[in-house]
Amino acid sequence: MTNKAEKELAERFGLPVYEELHSFPLVQGKIAFIPYSFAKQKKVLPLEETEGGLLVAVADPLEVEALAELRLLVKKTIVPIYSPREVIEEAIERCYQQKEEETKRFFSDLAKEKSDVLGNEGDEEYDLLEQETTSPVIRLVNTLFVEAIQQGASDIHFEPTEEGLSIRYRIDGVLLKRHTPPRDYQQQVLTRIKVMAKLDISETRLPQDGRIKLRHGGREIDFRVSTLPMIYGERVVLRILDKGNIVLGIDRIGMPSTTLEAFRRLIHMPEGILLVTGPTGSGKTTTLYSALSEINATEMNVMTIEDPVEYKLSGISQMNVNRRIELDFSKGLRHILRQDPDVIMIGEIRDRETAEIAIQSSLTGHLVLSTLHTNDAPSALTRLADMSIEPYLLASSLLGVLAQRLVRKICPNCKVSYTPHPRECEDVGMEKEEQLLWKGAGCSLCFGTGYRGRCGIYELMLVDRMIKTQVLKSQDAEELRRIALQQGMQTLFQQGRDLVMTGVTTQEELLRVTRVGETD
């Protein structure tokens, strides 16, 4: 039954209709009144205790059996109202979110408990919010996973030190220390993670890689696990791949309108190479996925080779690099070309062989998208020249290079203005006391950092006639930069400075991710 039909049925039965539930006391206070599994399965949620009974939202007006079970469960009169399924699901996730103080309380109680129960190897995928166990180690790991997901962390670091196990989350690109569990639990925690990732728990001398697949309130969450032997024990890092958290669409990743318009023209070219550059964690993969999601169509054959495939995209053929069977980028790319592709995405150009095949592919009628590790856009051409790629091939195949970084945004909840120091004015190239700047004072929503969320800054160098001519003469990055600036290219620093002046980010954050003097 559709939402429209259910709504009409609710109105016929005289049930009040609510399109929003966050203002009700139990939802606002994140109070879980009934078991999560019951609320999730039956799509019912208690909202408020009144003199008349318990006000409950239902998604299906005909679900009288669930209301009868709920009445027996809470021993109160049930007063139903109607709300759409997606609204109830969103409110359920809010109510059953793990509170920050719960994790701290759990750690304080943990030292009092002792357990050797690690769980069985081959544990099936389960929902973190539904899992119930008596083992403190399993509860500890689950608690950490839930907290990291709710705080928007991209990675969890378990680092054995001389003092004990340090647990840090990477939030908005910055590592923040969160917990130090009792020393007695260090090895058990790391072993539990290896069991979940189906790694060899007896092997502690060699690095290992694995994956964990879990759910959080129905959302699929993948954890990419990497272990590395260190002097104080195994260091474990988990990359969190939240499929429900990825934002795709080039008009949604924060590009300025002029850059967006030029980039959109490039990704609709029938052939050529478009490169995205930047350090690890700068959002390159998201930009490429956004480009693919825009150009993907039924009349196009879009194929990718990645290391590894992070997010599965509908309608696109994606291949994993597998070095165990000697399937690397260059070998995989050669086989992709036999599949009649129109658009090819290569996770990264790392060597001359991959670069040569990519260029030959672009010259034979394919659009090729890839990433490269360089600091800015002009340096990409220098890097390819260092791989012994002939200048005439670069000039004839490259369409453009997009360099990017991610800067943290000032938390809107604790944002305050201030008069900048003269040195700050000098660093961002503004007149002394020309205007006020902004920063975050720190609050509970941003965990005291003053920042919440991130946005991209971009530097797009179009390989036009002037750049092509220079490439044939010399691939010097500084000379290419000078010509690109004359042609109207806006640098990473310039775009970041605009965000500082408009109060989106701070001067410190801009200097953290870019180099001073990039405006010249």
Side-chain angles (χ1 to χ4, degrees), residues 264-306:
R264 185 170 263 135
R265 283 200 304 271
L266 294 181
I267 65 174
H268 285 98
M269 290 287 188
E271 58 192 43
I273 296 182
L274 176 60
L275 296 175
V276 180
T277 77
T280 302
S282 59
K284 301 187 297 295
T285 302
T286 300
T287 298
L288 288 179
Y289 279 175
S290 297
L292 290 179
S293 66
E294 170 142 331
I295 60 181
N296 183 29
T298 53
E299 65 270 16
M300 301 277 280
N301 181 14
V302 182
M303 305 190 73
T304 78
I305 177 165
E306 306 168 58

Side-chain angles (χ1 to χ4, degrees), residues 2-15:
T2 64
N3 279 349
K4 184 178 179 182
E6 288 171 342
K7 184 178 178 180
E8 290 175 353
L9 198 59
E11 289 172 344
R12 190 182 307 168
F13 289 167
L15 296 183

Side-chain angles (χ1 to χ4, degrees), residues 264-467:
R264 185 170 263 135
R265 283 200 304 271
L266 294 181
I267 65 174
H268 285 98
M269 290 287 188
E271 58 192 43
I273 296 182
L274 176 60
L275 296 175
V276 180
T277 77
T280 302
S282 59
K284 301 187 297 295
T285 302
T286 300
T287 298
L288 288 179
Y289 279 175
S290 297
L292 290 179
S293 66
E294 170 142 331
I295 60 181
N296 183 29
T298 53
E299 65 270 16
M300 301 277 280
N301 181 14
V302 182
M303 305 190 73
T304 78
I305 177 165
E306 306 168 58
D307 183 22
V309 173
E310 293 193 3
Y311 298 100
K312 295 173 185 175
L313 302 178
S314 176
I316 293 176
S317 303
Q318 297 172 271
M319 179 196 298
N320 259 322
V321 165
N322 190 339
R323 289 181 181 79
R324 293 179 183 173
I325 56 173
E326 298 181 353
L327 177 61
D328 55 15
F329 281 115
S330 56
K331 187 174 182 179
L333 187 51
R334 279 196 294 269
H335 287 281
I336 281 177
L337 290 171
R338 298 169 189 163
Q339 295 282 316
D340 186 31
D342 297 295
V343 180
I344 304 169
M345 186 193 105
I346 308 168
E348 183 185 345
I349 294 178
R350 296 177 179 172
D351 51 51
R352 176 182 176 181
E353 188 177 7
T354 305
E356 285 179 338
I357 299 171
I359 286 173
Q360 292 299 332
S361 303
S362 70
L363 294 174
T364 53
H366 305 91
L367 177 65
V368 179
L369 310 178
S370 187
T371 71
L372 202 62
H373 283 288
T374 61
N375 289 327
D376 54 26
S379 298
L381 284 85
T382 307
R383 176 82 179 94
L384 290 171
D386 289 343
M387 292 181 185
S388 302
I389 303 299
E390 294 293 339
Y392 74 90
L393 290 175
L394 292 177
S396 56
S397 62
L398 269 177
L399 299 172
V401 183
L402 179 75
Q404 69 177 72
R405 299 287 190 279
L406 291 175
V407 295
R408 291 181 293 172
K409 296 191 293 185
I410 298 171
C411 175
N413 189 59
C414 59
K415 182 176 179 179
V416 294
S417 61
Y418 70 100
T419 303
H421 188 275
R423 179 61 187 272
E424 290 183 79
C425 298
E426 184 181 335
D427 286 343
V428 296
M430 62 182 261
E431 296 295 329
K432 293 180 182 180
E433 300 180 3
E434 179 183 331
Q435 66 176 69
L436 295 176
L437 293 182
W438 290 264
K439 63 181 179 180
C443 65
S444 60
L445 291 180
C446 61
F447 314 110
T449 63
Y451 298 97
R452 193 177 176 199
R454 290 190 290 177
C455 64
I457 55 174
Y458 303 90
E459 173 181 290
L460 179 60
M461 185 182 77
L462 301 175
V463 183
D464 56 15
R465 184 177 57 82
M466 297 285 289
I467 296 292

Side-chain angles (χ1 to χ4, degrees), residues 187 194 200-208 227-231 233-235:
Q187 191 54 48
K194 292 174 71 174
D200 183 354
I201 62 173
S202 64
E203 180 57 77
T204 59
R205 300 166 300 169
L206 293 173
Q208 297 186 70
T227 73
L228 194 66
M230 310 298 286
I231 57 173
E234 283 186 286
R235 189 180 195 275

Side-chain angles (χ1 to χ4, degrees), residues 126-178:
Y126 60 84
D127 195 314
L128 287 164
L129 296 179
E130 291 180 356
Q131 180 76 352
E132 294 182 5
T133 176
T134 57
S135 167
V137 175
I138 297 177
R139 282 192 287 130
L140 167 59
V141 173
N142 287 352
T143 299
L144 291 170
F145 285 1
V146 170
E147 182 183 58
I149 292 166
Q150 290 179 178
Q151 292 188 9
S154 60
D155 302 84
I156 310 175
H157 289 236
F158 295 85
E159 302 166 275
T161 66
E162 192 173 4
E163 292 75 30
L165 184 66
S166 172
I167 299 174
R168 298 193 290 172
Y169 301 159
R170 187 176 293 279
I171 299 174
D172 293 335
V174 177
L175 277 172
L176 302 173
K177 187 168 182 178
R178 280 292 179 258

Side-chain angles (χ1 to χ4, degrees), residues 85-97:
R85 289 176 183 270
E86 60 272 13
V87 175
I88 291 181
E89 287 175 351
E90 184 184 345
I92 288 173
E93 299 311 320
R94 178 181 174 85
C95 282
Y96 291 84
Q97 273 189 357

Side-chain angles (χ1 to χ4, degrees), residues 118 137 160 165 181-194 201-204 232-234 236:
L118 293 172
V137 175
L165 184 66
R183 182 181 288 274
D184 294 344
Y185 283 86
Q186 173 174 321
Q187 191 54 48
Q188 294 184 54
V189 167
L190 299 182
T191 304
R192 170 59 184 167
I193 294 171
K194 292 174 71 174
I201 62 173
S202 64
E203 180 57 77
T204 59
Y232 294 113
E234 283 186 286
V236 178

